[in-house]
Amino acid sequence: MNDNNSITKHQLDNGKYVRYTTEQVEALERVYAECPKPSSLRRQQLIRECPILSNIEPKQIKVWFQNRRCREKQRKESSRLQTVNKKLSAMNKLLMEENDRLQKQVSQLVCENGYMRQQMHTGSAATDASCESVVNTPQHSLRDATNPAGLLSIAEETLAEFLSKATGTAVDWVQMPGMKPGPDSVGIFAISQSCSGVAARACGLVSLEPTKIVEILKDRPSWFRDCRSLEVFTMFPAGNGGTIELVYMQTFAPTTLAPARDFWTLRYTTSLDNGSLVVCERSLSGSGAGPNPAAVAQFVRGEMLPSGYLIRPCEGGGSVIHIVDHLNLEAWSVPEVLRPLYESSKVVAQKMTIAALRYIRQIAQESSGEVVYGLGRQPAVLRTLSQRLSRGFNDAINGFSDDGWSLMNCDGVEDVIIAVNSTKNLNNSMNPSNSISYLGGILCAKASMLFQDVPPAVLVRFLREHRSEWADFNVDAYSAASVKANSCNTYPGMRPTRFTGSQIIMPLGHTIEHEEMLEVVRLEGHALGQEDPFTSRDIHLLQLCNGIDENAVGACSELVFAPIDEMFPDDAPLVPSGFRIIPLDPKSGGGKNALVTTHRTLDLTSSLDVTPANNHGSTDLSTCQTSRSVLTIAFQFPFENNLAESVATMARQYVRSVINSVQRVAMAISPSGLSPCVGPKPSPTSPEAVTLAQWICQSYTYHLGADLLSSGSLVGDSLLKDLWQHQDAILCCSLKSLPVFTFANQAGLDMLETTLVSLQDITLDKIFDDSGRKALVPEFAKIMQQGYAHLPGGICMSTMGRHITYEQAVAWKVLAADESTVHCLAFSFVNWSFV
């Protein structure tokens, strides 16, 4: 009898119902609490130990536990469904409110349209104030802020204007591109279409209480990565249960090409008659005091138009939250090429509005125990590590003088900027045992450049997965040695080491939508020479990666990392370096067509050229645009005082080398001159690739007596295209003592999670474990003797360490045109998939 069927049955004893006494039920419940599914021996033991159960048969005890488990299962399912129903009801109410707002907006637009038509017919210049759709924000002088009454007046006006944006039609909101609302969506997102400044709006359901949400959102540095500091200078009660605060906030500049921003604002926290909490904020005119007047000179004053948060409690728990961010970022103060970044509502939406809602949902899921992280780290600790990486990287990019940064040997024409901070070292005040006191300071080499037609997500994903293409492991080793308290004190700081080029990525955690990942990267290294030949010289990096979703409009892509000790504590010192790529609005086009998704094969070798697939049919050129992005690189190096010049020279040369490598990769993935609207994945089409494809297919037929491709009559480019798109993973490796892969079709690259760029760095033994390698060795003799071998199904590994299963594999010799020279070995992995 199973659990599902027994729920409708009663315990029977010789055809009669068994009625349990209260004492019997209590005894059974105590056992159930310890073991919901006791074994037969445990049930017999229970009868012996509990005299009050002596008249109950073991079979009846078994049925009781089955029914009890069914009741528990039903109770949990009922509770879950009630929770889901409450959430759906709250979301339905939110959608109905949004629908009402949109209907009002449509009515207002119809009114404005009719009014404009009337004006065109009459030629009148009169204005109907009732159809005005934009709230004119009055300017508030410092005299308003000299007394509480003036501040309260400003606060009430700010509240009214914020609510008209959050739930009204004061701003013409349009749906955020790429963020469609739905049952699985984080929330409803919109951006301004035509208003002064840049604005974004979000609303969603969060399973936290309003007071907790207010506490989180007011702590802006905890979730807004661009926030450098926030200080409340004055706070006093508003007389109606609310509070008024005068706030000074500094934000980081995203690149070395523009100055940072600061804001001097009034923040008003209050409650509404319906129980909702509101936090609204707006800029005050005037300079506003700061912690250091000299530091304020490094910033451009931005303007915050009425913005804020509306949090309404839901029945049964949780809250509905509305977020509005409306800014004027003074785009005039940056180079013209960067102005789209400061005039884009999509960027504000990604950096502030969506980030705030995602952070709150992350906290809510962590509080409910839904989030599980690796390596035994608590969610709060991992959030702190992510924030420290991001903040350290922003510090390096901005190099504020009040933090101790100064330029080193700067003549104004250097492509790589060298900044030094002698007041900043790796001393750890939280844990002195983790401090490194011998260092003289931190040196930063940084540069920014513009790219055209380079998808930021694709580029960052490549930099993350193929570090050997751009990094110098000996430089990584020098940085890694600096974070160890007992490391050697000489430049370049490492014993001779050979690095294999392979990396193992170990996930620590990720956000709920996987837009950000925190991981530990292990770079394999071994000592050279006779000293400790078997000693591991592995390097470990703490790495933060975000923005690798190509469909996230307006999101920047980052790869930030810092060397760490293998068993790094939660308060380990971090010296972050990395890359940031920020998309700029296209020169032409926009809307839903503003995204260019590029699937380019990253082939940087001379023998395999990447060309576009044929474009069959016409293409609407109006949907194609030239996309631009700005790349910022910043690498930090600890140094000792007597080695500052040497480290500066090394850092400048290294960053230039990294720039050259990144430019080389960018050229490979850029579809410049090609239609971005072409869908199919391109294949290598060089003469060498075509010849190799012919040899692979002809040799397969020669040895196995069958065609590798279903269309066996194809030749030339058509044959290569079919081989490239073949569903099985086909790989070729050299005939050397240590076979190295030389070619793979698209399925092969997907299986190994690599590209043609890095394929030649992968040896055959790297994709098999010990048992796989042992099984492969005897097959080589068979392959060389009869020309082919069928390999049984098994497990191999991708370059990212993921396990792959395959149904079977075939290996054969690839013969050159004379059919006597063995060119390489080919493998075909059939029906492979990730475990």
Side-chain angles (χ1 to χ4, degrees), residues 407-647:
L407 298 181
M408 183 177 183
N409 301 330
C410 180
D411 55 9
V413 297
E414 284 285 348
D415 55 339
V416 177
I417 301 172
I418 301 295
V420 64
N421 192 333
S422 298
T423 65
K424 186 176 182 179
N425 55 42
L426 300 184
N427 288 330
N428 193 335
S429 58
M430 295 176 59
N431 188 351
S433 63
N434 288 332
S435 299
I436 304 173
S437 59
Y438 66 82
L439 293 172
I442 304 292
L443 184 144
C444 178
K446 51 190 175 181
S448 295
M449 66 207 72
L450 292 172
F451 280 116
Q452 187 162 299
D453 289 343
V454 178
V458 177
L459 182 54
V460 163
R461 193 161 59 237
F462 179 86
L463 296 174
R464 170 180 175 262
E465 296 173 358
H466 305 284
R467 190 179 183 89
S468 61
E469 290 296 326
W470 56 267
D472 185 332
F473 290 110
N474 287 296
V475 175
D476 288 330
Y478 165 71
S479 299
S482 302
V483 301
K484 297 179 180 179
N486 296 321
S487 62
C488 51
N489 299 343
T490 60
Y491 173 79
M494 281 296 290
R495 299 169 183 171
T497 305
R498 177 180 66 85
F499 291 94
T500 63
S502 64
Q503 64 176 7
I504 298 175
I505 297 179
M506 296 168 283
L508 279 176
H510 55 76
T511 49
I512 54 177
E513 290 190 316
H514 293 256
E515 73 276 0
E516 181 175 285
M517 299 176 292
L518 185 67
E519 51 204 13
V520 172
V521 181
R522 179 163 65 88
L523 309 176
E524 295 182 348
H526 302 283
L528 292 177
Q530 298 180 353
E531 180 186 0
D532 298 329
F534 299 104
T535 301
S536 172
R537 301 289 189 205
D538 292 350
I539 298 171
H540 294 83
L541 305 172
L542 182 66
Q543 183 165 275
L544 180 69
C545 181
N546 56 46
I548 59 176
D549 178 8
E550 297 175 53
N551 297 318
V553 181
C556 76
S557 302
E558 289 182 326
L559 183 69
V560 181
F561 47 87
I564 55 173
D565 194 66
E566 182 177 2
M567 301 300 295
F568 69 102
D570 296 342
D571 57 352
L574 299 177
V575 185
S577 302
F579 307 86
R580 173 180 291 155
I581 311 173
I582 308 171
L584 304 175
D585 279 342
K587 293 179 181 177
S588 61
K592 66 180 181 180
N593 296 319
L595 283 177
V596 182
T597 303
T598 310
H599 297 284
R600 298 292 303 228
T601 302
L602 306 184
D603 180 12
L604 307 184
T605 62
S606 59
S607 60
L608 295 176
D609 297 325
V610 178
T611 60
N614 294 331
N615 184 15
H616 300 288
S618 61
T619 299
D620 184 3
L621 295 178
S622 65
T623 65
C624 304
Q625 51 272 313
T626 301
S627 61
R628 295 174 296 169
S629 57
V630 56
L631 167 68
T632 298
I633 300 176
F635 281 74
Q636 297 192 79
F637 304 92
F639 69 93
E640 292 189 24
N641 290 324
N642 60 330
L643 297 174
E645 291 292 340
S646 299
V647 174

Side-chain angles (χ1 to χ4, degrees), residues 207-281:
S207 56
L208 287 176
E209 295 304 312
T211 53
K212 179 64 175 178
I213 295 175
V214 169
E215 178 186 343
I216 294 172
L217 291 175
K218 292 180 74 171
D219 184 18
R220 193 173 279 141
S222 68
W223 56 265
F224 181 30
R225 293 291 174 82
D226 282 357
C227 182
R228 183 194 183 209
S229 64
L230 186 145
E231 185 172 352
V232 177
F233 276 76
T234 304
M235 180 175 67
F236 55 88
N240 56 354
T243 58
I244 293 177
E245 302 163 294
L246 299 185
V247 179
Y248 177 68
M249 180 177 69
Q250 294 179 345
T251 62
F252 291 108
T255 172
T256 62
L257 302 176
R261 298 291 186 270
D262 67 350
F263 298 86
W264 174 241
T265 62
L266 177 146
R267 186 167 68 186
Y268 181 36
T269 304
T270 188
S271 58
L272 304 181
D273 293 338
N274 62 2
S276 299
L277 294 180
V278 179
V279 180
C280 54
E281 192 171 3

Side-chain angles (χ1 to χ4, degrees), residues 106-119:
V106 169
S107 300
Q108 185 167 327
L109 291 174
V110 170
C111 174
E112 292 178 356
N113 186 50
Y115 177 77
M116 294 300 295
R117 286 178 180 273
Q118 181 182 2
Q119 293 300 309

Side-chain angles (χ1 to χ4, degrees), residues 161-174:
E161 293 183 36
F162 159 67
L163 292 176
S164 68
K165 296 176 184 179
T167 60
T169 59
V171 173
D172 185 9
W173 299 111
V174 296

Side-chain angles (χ1 to χ4, degrees), residues 658-687:
V658 171
I659 290 173
N660 290 335
S661 299
V662 173
Q663 288 175 334
R664 188 163 54 96
V665 172
M667 288 177 61
I669 67 177
S670 171
S672 298
L674 309 177
S675 170
C677 305
V678 179
K681 292 184 178 181
S683 61
T685 58
S686 67

